[in-house]
Amino acid sequence: MATQRQRSEFTRSQLLKAFRSAFLSRGFDATTTQYVLTQIGLSKGAMYHHFRSKTEIVEALYEEESRGAIERAMRSVRQTASPLEQLKQACLAWTREVRVPEVSKILFEIGPSALGPQKAKSVEDEISLGYLEELLSQAIRIGEIDARDPRLLAKFLNALVAETALYELRTKKVSTGVLNDAIEGVFAALRP
Amino acid sequence: MATQRQRSEFTRSQLLKAFRSAFLSRGFDATTTQYVLTQIGLSKGAMYHHFRSKTEIVEALYEEESRGAIERAMRSVRQTASPLEQLKQACLAWTREVRVPEVSKILFEIGPSALGPQKAKSVEDEISLGYLEELLSQAIRIGEIDARDPRLLAKFLNALVAETALYELRTKKVSTGVLNDAIEGVFAALRP
DNA sequence: TATAAAACCGACCGTCGGTTTGTTTTACAA
DNA sequence: TTGTAAAACAAACCGACGGTCGGTTTTATA
């Protein structure tokens, strides 16, 4: 005998876990709800009681994965001195985080292709841009860089970092050096 | 009485045109083959004689749109002097090209969501990276910038430009200034 | 003019996400 | 304890859609 809360939570996490591993090994389209449900011995009705759609499940997984990677990266640079240096280090740390195959597969393949690239991007942005803008604003306050458009600047960093991750993913080559230079270049262009 | 070549070419372009406009107004998933076929009075068999799948049609459209935008952008900077300056101008020109709603919709929405982001990216890269790398190599030869990794550098430029385009798309704000600075920053970081 | 091959037709099929209807389990108040 | 409401789950069912397949018409060629 279990409380409803427990039952519900268990089933929910059960679903997420099973879908996650199925998505990872077969991709979104090739993963049928039926397959997953059979695996964990659950019914369609139960699943649709917890999630409105198959897409909503990817959304949950994508958000969790995105948040996880970013927070781990941010946590790893908490006590560094300058905001700009922190920012750069966080970017480099993030490229390391997403070298984990499962993470990159969800962030760069499953998510975008299932939610649509815009939607995925907007979810990702909502999570990451806050952190980046915060540090950028600090840097601006201190006078490390010029104001301009912090949001677009944050997006630039995001883009450079994502591009590097994708590049590393494809070529199996570590490219932090070039990324480092590029980030510093962008900063340099905005120094007062 | 028409030659087979003519018949074939006509039907093919007919299909592409109809699918293009349907995709633009309803998106990929919501566009059923049946709807499009009814519109132009063609059969499913005919369509599947010309294309292996619905996806293959988007692929053709995406490639054409991508190539078009890039080539228009490149053409607009042919006679500028320095390779690096040409490169920058081409990037700025491209952001102007993709301000056309139909172009951006196909390049940033339909294509990636239908082909999957990786596939779309690889198609886009194949088209654009050639141009960018060529100019970068020239710049390196002349000594305008340091060697390092021209391919990744080209990807960076691509990413910055795409990011700007997306940003402009969302905010309806022209951001060539910041992009200009960022590009110059990246260049500056690589000056000998 | 015979024959091959390309272009085209449209009924049909399997799959799969999602819905609906009904059953079981938990919560809670009287 | 019992009655009842609501949450959790089951499973049959639906409709839409992409894609297939056998066959017909049109063009090419020898």
Side-chain angles (χ1 to χ4, degrees):
Chain A
M1 197 185 350
T3 168
Q4 276 188 336
R5 173 77 178 260
Q6 287 172 321
R7 266 217 298 172
S8 180
E9 223 163 69
F10 176 76
T11 305
R12 209 187 136 86
S13 77
Q14 186 93 338
L15 278 166
L16 287 174
K17 201 176 82 182
F19 265 103
R20 194 187 121 103
S21 96
F23 285 150
L24 280 173
S25 58
R26 334 198 149 191
F28 180 74
D29 284 334
T31 296
T32 68
T33 61
Q34 197 46 62
Y35 169 80
V36 174
L37 291 170
T38 302
Q39 261 203 341
I40 58 179
L42 200 71
S43 69
K44 239 174 195 185
M47 162 184 163
Y48 277 93
H49 175 71
H50 289 280
F51 295 96
R52 244 191 298 276
S53 67
K54 190 186 174 188
T55 303
E56 202 177 87
I57 294 180
V58 199
E59 206 176 330
L61 289 171
Y62 180 76
E63 213 173 311
E64 188 188 325
E65 209 71 46
S66 176
R67 174 162 286 117
I70 292 171
E71 284 180 352
R72 284 192 301 276
M74 292 304 295
R75 211 165 3 210
S76 76
V77 294
R78 273 257 171 76
Q79 48 267 40
T80 317
S82 138
L84 232 48
E85 184 61 23
Q86 260 186 59
L87 201 50
K88 201 182 69 183
Q89 291 306 327
C91 287
L92 297 177
W94 189 81
T95 66
R96 283 193 298 272
E97 290 295 334
V98 299
R99 283 197 197 120
V100 179
E102 297 183 351
V103 178
S104 71
K105 184 139 192 182
I106 290 180
L107 291 186
F108 301 142
E109 284 185 47
I110 315 289
S113 78
L115 308 175
Q118 346 75 327
K119 171 69 177 168
K121 199 166 179 7
S122 82
V123 170
E124 217 271 337
D125 280 359
E126 186 144 351
I127 299 173
S128 67
L129 289 187
Y131 291 105
L132 297 182
E133 262 188 282
E134 167 60 22
L135 287 176
L136 275 174
S137 299
Q138 284 184 31
I140 291 172
R141 239 177 283 129
I142 298 183
E144 280 197 300
I145 54 169
D146 224 353
R148 301 303 286 269
D149 191 332
R151 187 151 197 89
L152 180 53
L153 203 53
K155 279 165 183 278
F156 278 174
L157 293 179
N158 231 354
L160 288 180
V161 165
E163 198 59 35
T164 305
L166 245 28
Y167 185 67
E168 291 191 341
L169 187 62
R170 244 173 252 280
T171 61
K172 266 59 179 150
K173 205 173 6 169
V174 174
S175 305
T176 34
V178 188
L179 174 59
N180 189 78
D181 290 354
I183 292 177
E184 288 193 344
V186 172
F187 288 162
L190 299 172
R191 285 238 160 69
Chain B
M1 195 187 348
T3 169
Q4 277 187 334
R5 174 76 179 261
Q6 287 173 322
R7 270 216 298 170
S8 179
E9 224 164 67
F10 177 75
T11 305
R12 207 187 138 88
S13 77
Q14 186 93 338
L15 278 166
L16 287 174
K17 202 175 81 183
F19 265 103
R20 196 188 119 102
S21 99
F23 284 150
L24 280 173
S25 58
R26 334 199 149 191
F28 179 73
D29 285 334
T31 296
T32 68
T33 60
Q34 196 47 63
Y35 169 80
V36 173
L37 291 171
T38 303
Q39 262 203 338
I40 59 180
L42 200 70
S43 70
K44 236 171 196 187
M47 162 184 163
Y48 277 93
H49 176 73
H50 288 281
F51 297 96
R52 242 190 299 275
S53 65
K54 192 186 174 189
T55 302
E56 203 177 87
I57 294 181
V58 199
E59 207 175 328
L61 289 171
Y62 180 76
E63 213 172 310
E64 187 187 327
E65 209 70 48
S66 177
R67 174 162 286 116
I70 292 172
E71 283 180 352
R72 285 193 300 278
M74 291 304 294
R75 209 163 6 213
S76 76
V77 295
R78 274 258 172 76
Q79 47 268 42
T80 317
S82 138
L84 232 48
E85 184 63 22
Q86 261 186 57
L87 202 49
K88 201 181 70 182
Q89 291 305 328
C91 288
L92 298 176
W94 190 83
T95 67
R96 284 194 298 274
E97 289 296 334
V98 299
R99 283 196 198 120
V100 179
E102 298 182 351
V103 178
S104 71
K105 185 138 192 184
I106 289 179
L107 291 185
F108 301 143
E109 284 185 47
I110 315 287
S113 78
L115 308 175
Q118 345 76 323
K119 171 70 178 168
K121 199 166 180 6
S122 81
V123 170
E124 216 271 337
D125 280 359
E126 186 143 353
I127 299 174
S128 67
L129 290 187
Y131 289 106
L132 297 182
E133 262 188 280
E134 167 59 23
L135 287 176
L136 276 174
S137 299
Q138 283 183 32
I140 291 172
R141 238 177 284 131
I142 299 184
E144 280 197 303
I145 53 170
D146 224 353
R148 301 303 285 270
D149 192 331
R151 186 150 199 93
L152 180 53
L153 204 53
K155 278 165 183 278
F156 279 173
L157 294 178
N158 230 355
L160 289 179
V161 164
E163 198 59 36
T164 305
L166 246 27
Y167 186 66
E168 291 191 341
L169 187 62
R170 243 174 254 279
T171 61
K172 266 61 179 146
K173 206 174 2 168
V174 173
S175 305
T176 33
V178 188
L179 174 60
N180 188 78
D181 290 354
I183 292 177
E184 288 194 342
V186 172
F187 288 162
L190 299 172
R191 285 237 162 69

